[in-house]
Amino acid sequence: MVVLERLRADHAAAVLSFERENREWFARSIPDRGDAWFAGFGERHRALLAEQRAGLHHLHVLVDDGRVIGRVNLVDITDGVAELGYRIAEEATGRGIATGAVAEVCRRAAEVYGLSALTAVTTLDNPASRAVLAHNGFAVIGEIDLDGRPGIRYRRRLVPGADPSPEEVRSPAHASGSRSEEGQT
């Protein structure tokens, strides 16, 4: 049974294993974290937990039979808005795990964390991620460059019954931006 858990210190080894085992898989659709990220993982994990305690992020892992098979994070919280990021192990794809986990994190974002909206980005060549966001009520608000790869920006209001205003929902051809690995957690 897959369980969504808030990130804790004792998840460190399992998260690092998850990231190493799926590094090539993730690099097919998102920018690679780079060797330095893996070399400094322990320090990075401790820093993320401190930032979570400070209310800057809400970080989660998906655990199946003791193994981390995914991460779903809300980062860079400002004025009630956070950026959603997620990654699912290759072995766990195609089973609706990402869609369900994102739905649960959206629920927690509104009901537990008191957020009013979420943003997300994905590359154009990642139809699975685009489908997860669409199934969870995210609206396209523009284009973005993700380390040289074309991508799409999304937004979802969390206030019940509040759809994005017409000016927030635009075709990807009407907006652009730049995004690096910074928002990935």
Side-chain angles (χ1 to χ4, degrees), residues 4-155:
L4 181 74
E5 298 178 0
R6 194 157 167 92
L7 185 67
R8 303 183 310 260
D10 65 328
H11 287 126
V15 170
L16 182 57
S17 291
F18 160 79
E19 293 287 350
R20 283 184 174 146
E21 291 168 8
N22 290 281
R23 185 175 182 179
E24 287 183 29
W25 163 248
F26 296 144
R28 291 183 208 157
S29 59
I30 57 176
D32 184 63
R33 294 188 184 283
D35 294 338
W37 187 92
F38 288 91
F41 177 80
E43 183 177 319
R44 172 93 175 123
H45 189 75
R46 287 186 294 279
L48 285 172
L49 290 172
E51 291 171 358
Q52 178 169 256
R53 284 189 299 277
L56 301 175
H57 313 302
H58 296 290
L59 311 169
H60 309 87
V61 291
L62 291 164
V63 180
D64 187 15
D65 196 26
R67 291 186 63 230
V68 170
I69 62 163
R71 300 176 73 182
V72 185
N73 299 317
L74 300 173
V75 300
D76 301 333
I77 299 169
T78 305
D79 298 326
V81 179
E83 181 173 332
L84 169 74
Y86 54 92
R87 47 181 56 209
I88 304 298
E90 183 175 20
E91 70 184 53
T93 61
R95 302 186 339 221
I97 291 171
T99 300
V102 167
E104 175 58 17
V105 168
C106 287
R107 184 196 68 75
R108 290 183 189 188
E111 297 176 11
V112 179
Y113 309 140
L115 300 176
S116 59
L118 300 177
T119 62
V121 298
T122 191
T123 54
L124 282 173
D125 63 354
N126 190 343
S129 187
R130 291 168 58 191
V132 166
L133 293 169
H135 285 4
N136 278 287
F138 283 80
V140 172
I141 60 169
E143 289 183 337
I144 191 164
D145 179 82
L146 296 164
D147 286 348
R149 296 170 70 174
I152 303 173
R153 295 183 310 128
Y154 294 83
R155 183 174 178 91

